[in-house]
Amino acid sequence: MTTIAFIGLGNMGNPMAANLVKAGHAVHGFDLMPENLTIAKDHGVVIMANAIAAVRDADVIITMLPAGKHVLSVYEDIAPKAKKRTLFIDSSTIDVESARKAHAIAGKHGLLSIDAPVSGGTVGATAGTLTFMAGGSKDAFARAEPILKPMAGRIVHCGDGGAGQAAKICNNMILGISMIGVAEAFVLAEKLGLSNQALFDVASTSSGQCWSLTTYCPVPGPVPTSPANNGYRPGFAAALMLKDLKLSQEAAQSSGAVTPLGAEAAQLYALFNAQGNAGADFSGIINFLRGAPA
Ligand code: NAD
């Protein structure tokens, strides 16, 4: 049993913390929202008065927060108070630069750290099947792996500090671009009088095959479990897709990478969100391309 501090018990953090409790760990939790603390308490998390109290006895600290500024502010507060040899795991999706700064704060206090963003959404967080993309030293990763296991379907060590966040935003840039590509193909097929099923049957076994088509098909019918069959309820909300595409474009700008399709995808998702679709599944972009509400 390990004592784990869990800071950020929102839609993702709460089910992740619950899986750590189920695995037999003592989880000391903190969140700014009292209603999230109530849910965590029901899952067996020991609720603490603030982040500093949560980390006091912890051997491992996990953060699951909205953005880089939240992670850096929490790290500045807790790193000086953490026990020696404490491992910091940040599973939030944040910009690569902030992730590297977070590693530097931990390092300054002699603490091990990894960035370990996830994919798999709230369904994966509840089922304990998230994919973790980890960045950090071999030592830090070796200590983190058994802690991540009860929450994970797959854990990949991507490289040094920040590499997990880099992998996450590159993957999600592919996802945003490919969803728009698949949606455009269905819109064109409809105009050409081709049925959704016929396009699916051909493309899903041909060179057009990709996850956005075969798992997350943006039209109802061919893949019964995709959000298109459920009124485009998320799933993966368009607001989160826009967040990740913006992070990819910030990273492209600061590193000098040329990503014109990533930039276009970010623009299209910004327009889709601005039309009141931030809470819809990101595959609902097909309705935006048709000129209809999601
Ligand atoms: P959320 O908004 O539901 O949860 C974030 C929580 O952090 C909130 O409960 C908030 O009160 C808390 N918080 C903010 N500042 C805090 C502070 N200083 N101290 C303590 N608590 C604080 O968001 P979420 O959906 O759980 O996502 C968390 C992270 O995971 C984000 O970075 C998101 O991009 C990423 N992510 C989300 C999904 C998803 O499907 N929801 C999937 C993959 C990755």
Side-chain angles (χ1 to χ4, degrees):
M1 185 194 81
T2 302
T3 301
I4 300 171
F6 208 114
I7 299 169
L9 295 159
N11 293 324
M12 294 291 289
N14 241 326
M16 290 166 73
N19 282 325
L20 291 171
V21 172
K22 269 189 226 153
H25 296 299
V27 181
H28 294 182
F30 177 67
D31 193 286
L32 295 177
M33 291 169 70
E35 56 270 38
N36 286 344
L37 292 175
T38 306
I39 298 169
K41 197 173 171 201
D42 290 344
H43 289 145
V45 172
V46 181
I47 303 308
M48 308 304 280
N50 52 50
I52 291 172
V55 307
R56 196 165 289 134
D57 297 321
D59 305 303
V60 175
I61 297 166
I62 301 179
T63 42
M64 194 53 171
L65 297 164
K69 62 180 180 190
H70 306 101
V71 173
L72 291 178
S73 136
V74 167
Y75 269 46
E76 292 284 9
D77 286 349
I78 63 177
K81 309 286 179 192
K83 289 195 300 186
K84 285 215 163 54
R85 294 277 306 149
T86 301
L87 170 69
F88 277 55
I89 301 175
D90 179 42
S91 282
S92 327
T93 301
I94 66 172
D95 58 291
V96 176
E97 203 183 319
S98 294
R100 290 186 177 140
K101 281 186 188 158
H103 280 284
I105 295 169
K108 194 171 83 185
H109 293 277
L111 304 159
L112 287 177
S113 58
I114 64 163
D115 51 297
V118 299
S119 73
T122 51
V123 173
T126 304
T129 56
L130 293 169
T131 295
F132 283 85
M133 298 152 249
S137 68
K138 278 191 180 138
D139 277 3
F141 181 73
R143 273 195 63 203
E145 208 175 8
I147 299 294
L148 299 178
K149 260 205 176 114
M151 304 180 284
R154 193 150 181 257
I155 306 169
V156 183
H157 189 197
C158 299
D160 290 339
Q165 297 294 351
K168 164 87 185 176
I169 57 170
C170 289
N171 179 72
N172 280 19
M173 189 175 78
I174 296 173
L175 179 62
I177 293 169
S178 68
M179 181 54 80
I180 293 167
V182 168
E184 283 188 2
F186 277 106
V187 170
L188 176 61
E190 285 159 12
K191 293 278 185 204
L192 297 175
L194 184 65
S195 74
N196 290 338
Q197 191 63 49
L199 173 58
F200 181 85
D201 288 346
V202 171
S204 64
T205 52
S206 305
S207 44
Q209 184 199 107
C210 64
W211 190 91
S212 292
L213 176 69
T214 56
T215 302
Y216 233 64
C217 189
V219 293
V223 179
T225 49
S226 79
N229 300 280
N230 190 24
Y232 295 96
R233 273 191 286 282
F236 188 56
L240 289 174
M241 175 48 81
L242 178 59
K243 174 190 170 181
D244 292 356
L245 285 168
K246 281 182 173 166
L247 290 177
S248 78
Q249 292 314 290
E250 277 169 36
Q253 229 166 27
S254 62
S255 66
V258 180
T259 60
L261 289 182
E264 188 59 35
Q267 291 271 6
L268 287 171
Y269 273 102
L271 290 169
F272 182 58
N273 274 261
Q275 289 189 351
N277 298 308
D281 187 76
F282 82 111
S283 60
I285 192 100
I286 191 168
N287 294 314
F288 171 83
L289 295 171
R290 285 192 189 109

